[in-house]
């Protein structure tokens, strides 16, 4: 079973300093790019996070401060990473909730405009949890009958994720070999941003999901309380959340004029 692709898809995995999307950093990134003709290319980079790696994180992925001291920063790698993924859909394991949001933060921090509206995302973990509810190691064993001996190595996890998706397509007749279908099946479409500060109401319109304006339309809040928009941009919210708010604000202004 090979994926039915209309454009390339990049499976990727991150090892990081922690699990806070807004403040933690990448220490390793692996990308496996699959082309519609079946060709593949794979890249793995260690990254200097420019901050100490907590011992509890090193205990999981095995990457220490010493191992990345002389590696490039993400800002130095960002043009290469973006060039690889900019024409592609994205795939990963728990990627919609963690890897894509954190990658977006790193790219925006590197002054590269990253917009997921230009790509579909297939979260293999979501498909797995809807079907079987297990971990990546168990998924690899269950679907591929292989042991994931290098779990939490970005390259091993990336290749395992790709193999699991193909095996899922083989196993479940209800899954279509189509990236659009798989992206929709594995998506969490209740939020406009990754962090969940902006949700969609029943009409598919953006509303705030926190604070004093919870449940109110974003456009209406920004219209009647311009100071709130300024506070949001200066507060400690993820960069992608701020980008979504700015886009909504600009769309409203453009509609007026």
């Amino acid at each position: 079973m090979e994926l039915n692709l209309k454009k390339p898809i990049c499976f990727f995995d991150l090892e990081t300093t922690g699990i806070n999307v807004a403040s933690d950093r990448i220490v390793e990134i692996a990308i496996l790019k699959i082309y519609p003709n079946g060709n593949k290319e794979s890249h793995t980079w260690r990254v200097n996070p420019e901050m100490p790696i907590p011992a509890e994180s090193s205990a999981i992925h095995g990457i220490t401060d010493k191992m990345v001291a002389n590696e490039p920063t993400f800002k130095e790698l960002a043009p290469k990473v973006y060039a690889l993924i900019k024409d592609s859909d994205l795939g990963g394991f728990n990627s919609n909730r963690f890897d894509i949001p954190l990658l977006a933060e790193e790219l925006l921090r590197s002054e590269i405009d990253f917009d997921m509206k230009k790509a579909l995302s297939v979260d293999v973990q979501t498909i797995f949890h809807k079907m079987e509810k297990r971990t990546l190691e168990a998924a690899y064993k269950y679907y591929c009958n292989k042991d994931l001996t290098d779990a939490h190595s970005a390259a091993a996890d990336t290749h395992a994720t790709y193999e699991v998706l193909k095996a899922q397509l083989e196993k479940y007749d209800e899954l279509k070999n189509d990236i659009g279908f798989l992206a929709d099946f594995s998506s969490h479409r209740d939020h406009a941003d990754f962090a969940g500060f902006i949700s969609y109401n029943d009409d598919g319109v953006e509303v705030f999901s926190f604070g004093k304006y919870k449940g109110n339309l974003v456009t209406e809040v920004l219209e009647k309380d311009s100071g709130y928009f300024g506070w949001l941009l200066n507060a400690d919210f993820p960069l992608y959340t701020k980008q979504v708010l700015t886009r909504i604000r600009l769309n409203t202004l453009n509609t007026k004029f």
Side-chain angles (χ1 to χ4, degrees):
M1 171 72 71
E2 291 300 329
L3 297 181
N4 181 18
L5 301 177
K6 297 179 178 65
K7 62 188 289 191
I9 183 169
C10 286
F11 292 91
F12 77 103
D13 185 71
L14 307 177
E15 303 302 338
T16 65
T17 59
I19 58 173
N20 188 309
V21 168
S23 61
D24 278 305
R25 300 290 188 270
I26 295 170
V27 298
E28 186 176 65
I29 178 170
I31 300 174
L32 175 65
K33 187 169 185 176
I34 313 297
Y35 291 88
N37 64 3
N39 289 347
K40 305 177 182 68
E41 62 174 302
S42 180
H43 302 268
T44 301
W45 295 280
R46 288 275 172 86
V47 184
N48 184 337
E50 301 181 277
M51 64 181 291
I53 304 173
E56 55 269 27
S57 297
S58 294
I60 293 172
H61 49 57
I63 301 172
T64 63
D65 292 333
K66 184 177 180 180
M67 294 167 66
V68 296
N70 297 317
E71 299 293 344
T73 65
F74 188 83
K75 188 169 186 177
E76 293 172 316
L77 287 171
K80 293 181 181 178
V81 172
Y82 185 66
L84 197 60
I85 69 173
K86 66 180 181 180
D87 64 340
S88 304
D89 294 322
L90 298 178
F93 198 87
N94 193 33
S95 50
N96 284 352
R97 291 189 179 274
F98 181 72
D99 296 82
I100 290 176
L102 201 148
L103 179 62
E105 289 297 295
E106 289 277 40
L107 287 169
L108 292 171
R109 204 176 286 122
S110 301
E111 301 179 348
I112 291 178
D113 185 19
F114 179 77
D115 185 355
M116 271 304 294
K117 286 189 175 182
K118 300 175 182 177
L120 299 174
S121 60
V122 177
D123 192 330
V124 174
Q125 186 194 61
T126 301
I127 297 174
F128 185 34
H129 284 181
K130 285 186 175 183
M131 296 297 188
E132 305 294 345
K133 305 187 187 303
R134 295 288 193 277
T135 62
L136 176 57
E137 290 92 333
Y140 197 51
K141 182 68 174 179
Y142 181 83
Y143 288 110
C144 306
N145 197 28
K146 299 177 183 178
D147 293 317
L148 185 54
T149 54
D150 287 329
H152 299 298
S153 158
D157 287 358
T158 298
H159 282 80
T161 299
Y162 169 55
E163 289 187 45
V164 167
L165 178 58
K166 292 195 296 179
Q168 286 173 331
L169 289 169
E170 291 273 14
K171 182 175 178 63
Y172 303 114
D173 291 337
E174 61 265 43
L175 293 181
K176 296 180 183 178
N177 190 351
D178 176 82
I179 296 302
F181 172 87
L182 294 171
D184 184 66
F185 188 84
S186 64
S187 70
H188 301 278
R189 295 191 177 276
D190 51 340
H191 296 129
D193 66 332
F194 294 127
F197 292 110
I198 307 168
S199 300
Y200 293 109
N201 63 14
D202 291 340
D203 297 320
V205 181
E206 297 93 343
V207 296
F208 284 107
S209 55
F210 74 101
K212 63 181 181 180
Y213 291 122
K214 184 176 181 179
N216 290 9
L217 295 177
V218 174
T219 52
E220 291 183 358
V221 172
L222 299 185
E223 174 71 20
K224 70 180 182 182
D225 189 351
S226 58
Y228 194 62
F229 179 64
W231 174 78
L232 289 167
L233 293 187
N234 289 303
D236 189 24
F237 288 97
L239 295 177
Y240 197 84
T241 299
K242 295 177 181 180
Q243 184 185 60
V244 170
L245 286 167
T246 301
R247 188 185 305 121
I248 294 171
R249 178 63 171 160
L250 290 175
N251 285 344
T252 302
L253 292 174
N254 289 336
T255 300
K256 282 185 174 183
F257 295 108

